[in-house]
Amino acid sequence: MDSPSLSFSRVLVVLIVIVLLAGGAFWAYRHFYAAGNNTADVTTTAVSRGDIDVLVSATGVLEPSNFVDVGAQVSGLLDVIHVRVGEPVRKNQLLADIDPTIYLARVDANRAQLKNQQAQLADRKAQLTLANIQFQRQNNLYREDATTRENLQIAEASLASAKAQLAMLQAQLEQTASTLRAEEANLDYARIYSTMDGTVVSITARQGQTLNTSQQAPVLMRIADLSTMKVRAQVSEADVGRLTPGDRVYFTTLGEPGKQIYGQLDYIEPTPEVLNNVVLYNAFFSVPNEAGRLLPSMTAQVFFVVEQAQNVLRVPAATVAAGGVWLQQASGELIERQIEVGISNRIYTEVRKGLADGDLVNLPVPTISDANDSRPKAAP
C-alpha cells in the first residue's frame, strides 16, 4: 500500500500537468486562431459611385390642370343630356337641352311686335314727309302774303310733331329689338354647349330635373382637361422653407408604386391649411398625361429634390462619424481615415476626398443591446 505522502505527490503532479495543458491551449488559441480571425466580426462595404438625392417627402392628390363647371343660365325642365361621364367632348359640342317652349314663344312674340313697330315706323316716315311738304307750302305762301301766319305755325307744329312721333317710335323699336335679342339668347341658352375640349368627369344633374336659376346657376356637369394633370402636395411647415419654385420633383401612385413621374415645382400657396393642429402648405406642379393613366383624386407620394449630386463617390451614411471612417487594409487591419464629405441623406453620404472607388469601409453592426439605441456605434 502506497504511503499518504506518495499519493499526494501524484495528485499534485496531475494538477500541474492539467494547468500547463490548459495554459498552452489558451496561448495557442490567442496566437494562432484568434490572430487569423481578427476581422471575423467586421462587416465592410465598398465605396461606390452613384447619385445622392436629398428629398422632402409629402402626400399629394391629382387634380385636372384645367376644368370648367357647366351650368344652366335659364330655368326650365332639363329635357335631354347628350353625354355621359368619361366621354371626351369637343368645344361647342351640344351637351344638354332645356325645354325651349316658353323661350320660343317669347321670341315669336317679340319678333311679331318688332314687325308691327317697323310697319308703324314706315307710316310715321310717310307722315313726316307729308308734314314737311305742307310746311314748305305754307312757308312759300306766307312769303307771298297768300296765307296767314297762323296757318304757317300750324304746319310748323305738325312737322315738329311728326318728327317727335318718328323718334319715339324708333326708340320703341330699338327697345323691342333689344328685348328680342335677349329672348333669342335665352332660347340659345336652352341648348347647353361645351366651352372647352376635355372629358366629362362628373354629371350632377338628372334628365327630367327642373332647373331654377333665380338664385344661382345650377351646375350640370364638370368638364376637365386630363391631358395635363396638376399635383397638389401638402408640405409641412418644417420643410416648406427648403423648397423653391423650379425644384425637380417626382411622385408615385398607389397603382404604380415603382413608376416615378417627374415634374418641376410651379408655386407654393402662401396661405396654409391647418389640419389637426398641423400646418401644411399646398405646393403645385404639373405633369403630362398622354396615356391617360393619371385620374383626378388619385393619391400621390411626392418627393421634392432639394439637393442632388450625380455620379459621385458615396458611402453608407452609417459608416461616417465625425468626418471619418474606418478603412480596411489589404491585410484586414482597420485604420481610421479622415474624409471630406458633401451632401448626405439618410442612406448615403458623398465623399469628396479621402477615399477611392472600391475601398472597403467598416459598416457597424448593432448588437442586441444596441437594437434600440440610435446613437452612432464606435468602429472596432
Side-chain angles (χ1 to χ4, degrees):
M1 181 178 294
D2 295 335
S3 65
S5 60
L6 182 59
S7 298
F8 176 77
S9 299
R10 289 177 179 176
V11 172
L12 182 60
V13 169
V14 171
L15 290 175
I16 292 172
V17 170
I18 291 174
V19 170
L20 291 175
L21 290 175
F26 179 73
W27 179 86
Y29 172 80
R30 289 291 304 273
H31 286 76
F32 294 98
Y33 180 79
N37 294 274
N38 59 359
T39 60
D41 294 331
V42 176
T43 302
T44 59
T45 184
V47 178
S48 62
R49 283 195 172 274
D51 300 338
I52 301 177
D53 294 335
V54 180
L55 306 174
V56 168
S57 61
T59 300
V61 62
L62 272 68
E63 302 173 347
S65 61
N66 185 28
F67 66 89
V68 62
D69 288 328
V70 179
Q73 294 182 266
V74 294
S75 301
L77 182 70
L78 184 57
D79 200 8
V80 181
I81 298 177
H82 297 283
V83 294
R84 56 177 177 78
V85 175
E87 181 178 343
V89 296
R90 307 293 295 178
K91 185 177 180 180
N92 297 324
Q93 178 177 335
L94 182 62
L95 303 177
D97 283 323
I98 296 175
D99 185 3
T101 304
I102 296 177
Y103 304 103
L104 184 59
R106 291 175 181 174
V107 168
D108 290 342
N110 279 276
R111 284 176 178 171
Q113 185 178 0
L114 184 63
K115 289 181 179 179
N116 181 40
Q117 290 174 343
Q118 288 172 341
Q120 293 180 28
L121 181 64
D123 178 65
R124 294 296 181 183
K125 287 181 178 180
Q127 292 182 17
L128 176 62
T129 302
L130 177 61
N132 188 46
I133 293 173
Q134 290 177 347
F135 172 73
Q136 295 296 333
R137 181 171 179 272
Q138 289 295 325
N139 190 33
N140 293 333
L141 292 173
Y142 182 76
R143 289 175 181 177
E144 298 175 357
D145 294 329
T147 187
T148 63
R149 183 174 181 82
E150 181 181 2
N151 290 336
L152 176 61
Q153 291 175 340
I154 292 174
E156 185 178 8
S158 297
L159 177 61
S161 176
K163 289 181 179 180
Q165 292 292 330
L166 180 62
M168 181 176 63
L169 189 58
Q170 286 177 332
Q172 292 177 355
L173 192 144
E174 290 177 359
Q175 182 179 4
T176 303
S178 177
T179 303
L180 177 60
R181 287 194 297 270
E183 296 299 340
E184 287 176 338
N186 287 335
L187 180 60
D188 289 337
Y189 292 151
R191 295 173 65 83
I192 301 172
Y193 297 90
S194 175
T195 58
M196 62 176 288
D197 295 341
T199 303
V200 180
V201 296
S202 66
I203 297 178
T204 55
R206 292 293 179 265
Q207 191 166 297
Q209 177 180 344
T210 299
L211 306 176
N212 186 359
T213 61
S214 59
Q215 296 181 348
Q216 63 180 7
V219 175
L220 306 184
M221 62 189 70
R222 172 172 289 187
I223 296 176
D225 179 11
L226 301 183
S227 61
T228 301
M229 299 297 291
K230 180 171 62 176
V231 181
R232 175 170 56 88
Q234 294 191 312
V235 184
S236 69
E237 60 178 325
D239 293 326
V240 71
R242 303 169 63 188
L243 304 184
T244 304
D247 284 348
R248 194 170 182 232
V249 57
Y250 65 90
F251 71 95
T252 60
T253 61
L254 296 178
E256 295 179 299
K259 183 178 180 181
Q260 297 178 350
I261 303 172
Y262 286 84
Q264 193 175 62
L265 176 60
D266 293 332
Y267 64 97
I268 302 172
E269 287 185 344
T271 304
E273 294 183 8
V274 180
L275 301 175
N276 298 325
N277 295 324
V278 178
V279 180
L280 301 172
Y281 290 84
N282 289 322
F284 293 89
F285 63 96
S286 299
V287 292
N289 186 29
E290 292 88 353
R293 300 182 65 86
L294 301 177
L295 299 175
S297 299
M298 277 186 171
T299 301
Q301 185 63 40
V302 183
F303 301 92
F304 297 92
V305 183
V306 296
E307 287 186 278
Q308 187 177 52
Q310 295 181 328
N311 194 29
V312 296
L313 288 178
R314 63 184 187 180
V315 294
T319 64
V320 181
V325 296
W326 288 90
L327 178 65
Q328 187 180 54
Q329 303 295 296
S331 62
E333 181 185 2
L334 293 174
I335 63 170
E336 188 174 7
R337 174 71 62 84
Q338 293 298 312
I339 61 174
E340 179 183 335
V341 298
I343 68 172
S344 178
N345 55 24
R346 296 180 180 179
I347 303 175
Y348 290 108
T349 296
E350 177 189 3
V351 179
R352 295 178 177 173
K353 290 182 181 179
L355 293 176
D357 194 359
D359 284 348
L360 296 179
V361 294
N362 175 45
L363 182 63
V365 179
T367 62
I368 296 177
S369 61
D370 295 332
N372 297 320
D373 188 357
S374 60
R375 296 172 298 173
K377 308 301 185 297

